[in-house]
C-alpha cells in the first residue's frame, strides 16, 4: 500500500482519501459430526481495508453464518442464544496506525496470542460474546525481537467486564530457529469459573527445507486442569500446495477462558490443506478428530467428534 502511494507521489498523481482498497472474501462450509447429533453451517466474511493516508488505514468486516440441522452453542462460530440460527452484521472495525517500527490497531478486533494461537484466537468467530475485543494491538520490532501487546475488553452482552492483557515476544537465536514466549492475564466475570487467570507460554519453531516445525506449551494459575500444548508441522510442497498437521491437548483452563485456536478440554489432531487456484483465490480444507479429556457433566464417556471445514478465500 505505502509503496503504491509513494510511486504515485513521484509521478505527480493526486492522492485522494481511500485511494487504495484491499478486500477479501472468505466463504466456508462447516460440518460437525458428534455422537448425539450433527451440525452444518455456511458462513462467510467480507473484509475491507482502505488507506486514509500513508500512515493511517481503516478496516471493517461483514460476517454471516447460517446453521442447519441440530445446533449446539459450543459448536458454532457465533452465539445462537442471542442471534438464533442466523447471524449477519459488521463485527470488526477500527483504525490502523503505522510508524517506523510499530503498528497500532485500535477498535473492535479479533486477537491471536501465542505462536499458534494456543492461548487466544478469535478472528474466525463472529458477533457479540464470541471473543472479539474492544481494544488495542501493538506489534513491531525492537532490535532483534518481535513484540506484540494485546489489551482490551471483550465485546460481550452476557459478561460485561471480561478483559485480557498479553505481551508476546520472539526472536531468532540462530538461522532457522525461533524462540518465543507470552505473559498474559484474563479477567473473567463469569461466576462459574475463576475471576482471573494468569498465563505463561513458551514456543519454539524450526525450519528444515520446506517444513516448518512448531511446538508450544502453556500453563495457567488455575489450581487444576491448567496446561495446554500443541506440536505440529507445516509443509510447503510448491507455490500452490501446502499442508499442515497439529496434535493438541488443551485442559479446561490451559488457554485463556476457552478462546484458544484449539478445542479446549480436548485432545486430537487437525489436518489442513491449502491449494492456490490462482494468485487471488485459495481453496482451504480442514479436518479435526477430537476427544474430550474430561467428560461433561451428565455424560458417561468422553465426547468424541469430527469437524470438516471447506473454504474459499478470494482477494480483490
Amino acid at each position: 500500500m505505502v509503496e503504491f502511494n509513494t510511486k504515485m507521489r513521484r509521478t505527480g498523481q493526486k492522492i485522494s482519501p481511500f485511494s487504495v482498497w484491499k478486500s477479501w472474501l472468505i466463504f466456508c462450509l462447516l460440518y460437525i459430526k458428534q455422537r448425539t447429533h450433527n451440525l452444518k453451517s455456511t458462513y462467510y466474511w467480507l473484509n475491507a481495508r482502505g488507506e486514509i493516508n500513508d500512515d493511517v488505514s481503516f478496516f471493517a468486516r461483514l460476517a454471516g453464518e447460517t446453521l442447519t440441522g441440530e445446533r449446539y452453542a459450543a459448536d458454532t462460530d457465533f452465539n445462537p442464544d442471542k442471534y438464533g440460527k442466523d447471524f449477519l452484521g459488521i463485527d470488526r472495525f477500527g483504525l490502523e496506525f503505522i510508524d517506523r517500527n510499530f503498528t497500532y490497531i485500535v477498535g473492535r478486533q479479533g486477537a491471536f496470542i501465542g505462536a499458534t494461537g494456543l492461548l487466544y484466537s478469535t478472528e474466525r468467530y463472529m458477533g457479540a460474546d464470541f471473543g472479539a475485543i474492544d481494544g488495542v494491538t501493538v506489534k513491531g520490532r525492537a532490535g532483534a525481537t518481535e513484540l506484540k501487546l494485546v489489551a482490551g475488553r471483550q465485546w460481550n452482552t452476557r459478561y460485561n467486564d471480561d478483559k485480557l492483557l498479553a505481551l508476546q515476544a520472539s526472536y531468532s537465536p540462530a538461522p532457522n530457529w525461533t524462540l518465543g514466549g507470552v505473559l498474559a492475564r484474563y479477567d473473567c466475570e463469569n461466576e462459574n469459573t475463576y475471576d482471573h487467570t494468569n498465563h505463561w507460554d513458551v514456543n519454539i519453531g524450526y525450519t528444515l527445507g520446506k517444513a516448518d516445525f512448531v511446538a508450544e506449551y502453556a500453563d495457567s494459575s488455575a489450581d487444576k486442569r491448567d496446561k495446554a500444548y500443541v506440536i505440529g508441522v507445516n509443509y510447503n510442497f510448491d507455490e500452490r500446495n501446502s499442508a499442515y498437521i497439529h496434535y493438541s491437548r488443551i485442559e479446561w483452563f490451559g488457554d485463556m477462558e476457552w478462546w484458544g485456536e484449539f478445542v479446549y478440554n480436548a485432545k486430537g489432531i487437525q489436518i489442513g490443506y491449502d491449494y492456490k487456484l490462482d494468485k487471488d483465490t485459495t481453496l482451504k480444507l480442514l479436518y479435526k478428530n477430537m476427544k474430550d479429556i474430561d467428560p461433561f457433566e451428565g455424560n458417561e464417556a468422553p465426547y468424541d467428534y469430527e469437524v470438516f471445514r471447506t473454504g474459499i478465500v478470494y482477494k480483490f
Side-chain angles (χ1 to χ4, degrees), residues 27-31 43 283-286 308-312:
F27 177 81
C28 295
L29 300 175
L30 171 68
Y31 175 70
Y43 67 94
L283 171 68
K284 304 176 79 68
L285 304 175
L286 173 67
F308 304 89
R309 195 183 296 262
T310 304
I312 291 286

Side-chain angles (χ1 to χ4, degrees), residues 2-17:
V2 174
E3 209 173 64
F4 178 65
N5 271 349
T6 301
K7 191 178 295 184
M8 287 198 297
R9 279 201 304 270
R10 288 174 179 171
T11 57
Q13 290 179 253
K14 183 179 179 182
I15 302 174
S16 61

Side-chain angles (χ1 to χ4, degrees), residues 240-244 272-276 282-285:
R240 287 178 174 264
N241 297 272
S242 62
Y244 59 88
Y273 170 72
D274 292 353
Y275 176 69
K276 283 191 174 183
T282 303
L283 171 68
K284 304 176 79 68
L285 304 175

Side-chain angles (χ1 to χ4, degrees), residues 1 4 10 24 46 61 63 65 117 133 135 155 158 162 176 179 184 187-188 191 228 233:
M1 265 193 242
F4 178 65
R10 288 174 179 171
W24 57 102
L46 177 60
R61 185 181 82 171
E65 182 171 14
I133 64 168
W155 173 34
R158 293 177 293 186
D162 286 14
N176 300 328
L179 299 178
D187 290 287
C188 183
E191 67 277 4
V233 58

Side-chain angles (χ1 to χ4, degrees), residues 253-273:
F253 304 106
D255 59 11
M256 297 175 72
E257 195 61 19
W258 315 320
W259 290 117
E261 174 71 16
F262 305 93
V263 181
Y264 71 92
N265 186 42
K267 58 184 179 181
I269 63 168
Q270 66 175 35
I271 302 171
Y273 170 72

Side-chain angles (χ1 to χ4, degrees), residues 18-32:
F18 318 133
S19 59
V20 179
W21 283 86
K22 181 180 179 181
S23 302
W24 57 102
L25 174 67
I26 302 175
F27 177 81
C28 295
L29 300 175
L30 171 68
Y31 175 70
I32 298 176

Side-chain angles (χ1 to χ4, degrees), residues 176-226:
N176 300 328
W177 287 94
T178 303
L179 299 178
V182 181
L183 293 176
R185 176 184 171 106
Y186 189 93
D187 290 287
C188 183
E189 193 181 87
N190 185 349
E191 67 277 4
N192 296 317
T193 184
Y194 296 91
D195 60 359
H196 78 272
T197 48
N198 297 317
H199 300 261
W200 62 269
D201 168 296
V202 291
N203 53 78
I204 184 170
Y206 178 67
T207 299
L208 179 63
K210 296 181 178 181
D212 295 315
F213 297 89
V214 65
E216 187 165 19
Y217 175 85
D219 204 337
S220 80
S221 60
D223 54 12
K224 59 181 179 179
R225 302 171 179 171
D226 57 350

